Amino acid sequence: MKKRALILAMIAFITAIASEPAANTVYAEETQTEESAGQASELPVKALTPKAMDVNPYMAASDSNIHHDCYNTDSTDEVLPVDIYSEINVSYEKVNPNASPAVFFDSYGHSVVPLLGGLAIRDINADEAQTLGYFSPKQHDNGSYLIQSSYSFVDESNRIVCPTNDNRVLMLKATDEEGNVLPEFEKVLDIDIKAAAEAALGKTLDQNLLSVVFDYEGNLWFATGGFRIYPDRKQQGTFGYVSRAAIDKILNGEDVDLSDAVFVYELEPGEGAENGIAASKEGAVILTNLKCYLLQADNGVKKVWETSYKSVGAKESKEGDETTGGGLAWGGGCSPSLTKDLVMFTDNQDPVNLIAVDMKTGEQVASAPVIDELPEGTQVSVENSAIVYDDGEGTVSTIVCNWFGAGSAKLGEADNDSSIQSYENIYDVGWLRQGNKMIAPGIERVDTVKTEDGYEMKSIWCRSDLSDTSMMKLSTATGYIYGYV
């Protein structure tokens, strides 16, 4: 019910993933209000099969990060509300200056949200949002750093794993063994990733820590970067991992020599990650501003493949445009999303293309332009990971959304530390003050279908009348995608 109430409070539009009702379509029982109890909703419900993915044993059995899982599917098998405005749950916020930009869940259904530079478990179903437990860098660490909530996640033991803007990775114990929330989270791991990477390379790095994820062997993968990684500025980027054996030793209170536990892959100058990392049984998938990689831990970083893609570079509003911001990324702004067989991401061309890459070989197996049915002059930049739903029977449905206008123009400044994920640093002031009118429209569903001759992509529908300000989500239980305006 925690997720149901949260999402319901955010709904501004609901769109069926199914192109038309099937013969076996059922209609939702309307039970949210006394007046409508027992009545059938006008919106059909066509439940989909649960999403097809291999469960990561080192991640929480829940919607454990802002993309829901380590495949970055942005889909859930939870039942979400059907019908528009059938119920509104409002939780009044008195503490955070902005609404939480990232909400994810532990195995007990607790909502984990940003709170004043740190992270908290909060009751967001109450009339007034209540903090049940939290970790504050300033209060608990006497530190001035911030936790990067967008790329934090919950692990299999309900510990919160989070990167910081001063290049460390923390692990926070948030609940006891019975699932009761600790009023103050306990820090059980603290690793300076950048210092360890620099020691391994024997040189100073230009880029800061951006994102982390556990692979299926429990190794903690990391990537340095930020937003607007301009290749001609020659900033030095890396990715790598901390071994599971070292993490277990630290959690057991043992001393660890990180020089034997941190493995680093050095990128060419001017390359860096601009998005989150995905993971499957095949390894860690990282999209930089120039290439997509599949990496494995093999007593060092093993590059299985790399696949280049094209970009027209950072996109900005032009003089006379209604928007004042631009794109967030220099390359593809879409965190890679996975199926068991494919890696899906967008490039940053004009028009933007959806690309499907073979998971095992890195070969591009299909591509198609997306969100190209818009009014003339409308710019497109896909800045959030796409919804990727694999039905397990040969069809992968991908929903991509335009987010041009959200990015701050200051991201283009050479001295901007674009790895710091704060409202003021990465988002356009016009959008923060005026809402979705400052975001360019465009949402499209594209199906990638496996045939005897390979894969083919086809557009199912495209909406040019909606501007979504969040990351849209799919509920397989209802067959609808959910967005916020």
Side-chain angles (χ1 to χ4, degrees), residues 17 39 47 63 99 120 123 125 128 139 147 176 201 222 234 249 293 302 312 334 339 351 375 381 387 437 463 475-476:
I17 191 171
Q39 298 178 11
D63 296 329
D123 182 357
N125 293 311
E128 182 180 319
Q139 181 172 333
I147 286 177
D176 64 19
L201 292 172
F222 61 86
K234 306 297 182 183
K249 287 181 179 180
Y293 296 82
K302 177 183 177 182
V312 297
C334 180
T339 73
S381 59
I387 295 174
K437 67 177 290 185
R463 296 286 297 267
S475 165
T476 62

Side-chain angles (χ1 to χ4, degrees), residues 193-207 222 224 236-240 259 262-267 301:
I193 292 289
K194 187 176 181 181
E198 289 177 338
L201 292 172
K203 62 187 300 184
T204 300
L205 296 175
D206 303 317
Q207 296 178 11
F222 61 86
T224 68
Q236 192 69 52
T238 62
F239 27 69
S259 64
V262 176
F263 302 92
V264 184
Y265 182 93
E266 188 174 10
L267 296 169
V301 178

Side-chain angles (χ1 to χ4, degrees), residues 28 89 98 103 115 134 141 159 186 203 214 225-227 234 244 300 328 370 386 405 407 424 426 444-445 458:
N89 290 317
N98 298 100
V103 181
L115 181 70
Y134 73 112
D141 244 5
R159 295 171 299 224
E186 177 187 352
K203 62 187 300 184
F214 276 141
F227 303 95
K234 306 297 182 183
R244 185 69 209 186
L328 286 169
V370 290
E424 295 79 8
I426 66 175
E444 184 167 5
R445 171 186 165 188
K458 57 181 179 180

Side-chain angles (χ1 to χ4, degrees), residues 59-105:
M59 302 281 277
S62 65
D63 296 329
S64 59
N65 63 32
I66 63 168
H67 298 308
H68 290 263
D69 48 60
C70 64
Y71 273 30
N72 290 344
T73 66
D74 283 286
S75 62
T76 179
D77 295 327
E78 295 284 335
V79 178
L80 298 187
V82 176
D83 207 352
I84 297 177
Y85 300 137
S86 53
E87 179 185 330
I88 297 295
N89 290 317
V90 175
S91 188
Y92 188 61
E93 177 61 79
K94 286 187 173 181
V95 180
N96 272 330
N98 298 100
S100 297
V103 181
F104 46 100
F105 299 87

Side-chain angles (χ1 to χ4, degrees), residues 242-322:
V242 182
S243 72
R244 185 69 209 186
I247 292 171
D248 288 337
K249 287 181 179 180
I250 293 173
L251 293 175
N252 288 330
E254 302 176 38
D255 292 330
V256 173
D257 183 357
L258 290 178
S259 64
D260 298 326
V262 176
F263 302 92
V264 184
Y265 182 93
E266 188 174 10
L267 296 169
E268 293 296 321
E271 186 177 7
E274 296 184 294
N275 302 281
I277 309 172
S280 75
K281 284 185 174 180
E282 300 295 332
V285 178
I286 301 179
L287 186 72
T288 71
N289 54 337
L290 300 173
K291 301 175 183 178
C292 187
Y293 296 82
L294 174 64
L295 309 165
Q296 294 175 351
D298 187 15
N299 200 33
V301 178
K302 177 183 177 182
K303 182 179 68 176
V304 181
W305 50 256
E306 65 177 56
T307 300
S308 299
Y309 69 94
K310 296 180 180 180
S311 170
V312 297
K315 294 177 178 176
E316 300 279 9
S317 292
K318 300 180 178 66
E319 187 176 350
D321 287 352
E322 294 183 4

